[in-house]
Amino acid sequence: MPRSRPKISIPARTWVDLYAATSLNGGVAIPVGTKLLMQAVGRHGAYIVEDDQEPDIATTGNFYLNPLGAPWANNAGNIGLWAFSYSDTFIQVEEF
């Protein structure tokens, strides 16, 4: 049975490529396009954007993960996944 992955740190006002970040701490990156289950587990929420490059928070549509709210899953086959928060926070990301 696989172990849970480490939480992904989302530094304040910094876009984080969630697929790439799954390889941190010696892990193997989850391939882009894999369906993911995500939950904000820090004190603050995060905006989630499906895109193949770093988006612009001011002009890009997004989903919002509430802190310690319900998990959210993206669709399989997406082109990339990014997270942004105005305050330091964490997201738990697992393959779905």
Side-chain angles (χ1 to χ4, degrees), residues 32-64:
V32 173
T34 303
K35 187 172 185 174
L36 300 177
L37 183 64
M38 296 158 276
Q39 185 172 26
V41 293
R43 293 188 60 188
H44 304 281
Y47 296 93
I48 306 296
V49 174
E50 292 180 299
D51 206 331
D52 60 348
Q53 58 188 349
E54 186 175 311
D56 178 352
I57 191 66
T59 60
T60 306
N62 57 71
F63 296 94
Y64 185 72

Side-chain angles (χ1 to χ4, degrees), residues 4-5 33 56 71 87 90:
S4 292
R5 292 179 174 266
D56 178 352
S87 301
F90 293 93

Side-chain angles (χ1 to χ4, degrees), residues 7-28:
K7 296 181 288 188
I8 295 174
S9 174
I10 311 298
R13 299 181 181 275
T14 304
W15 282 105
V16 175
D17 179 334
L18 292 178
Y19 284 108
T22 61
S23 68
L24 299 177
N25 300 319
V28 175

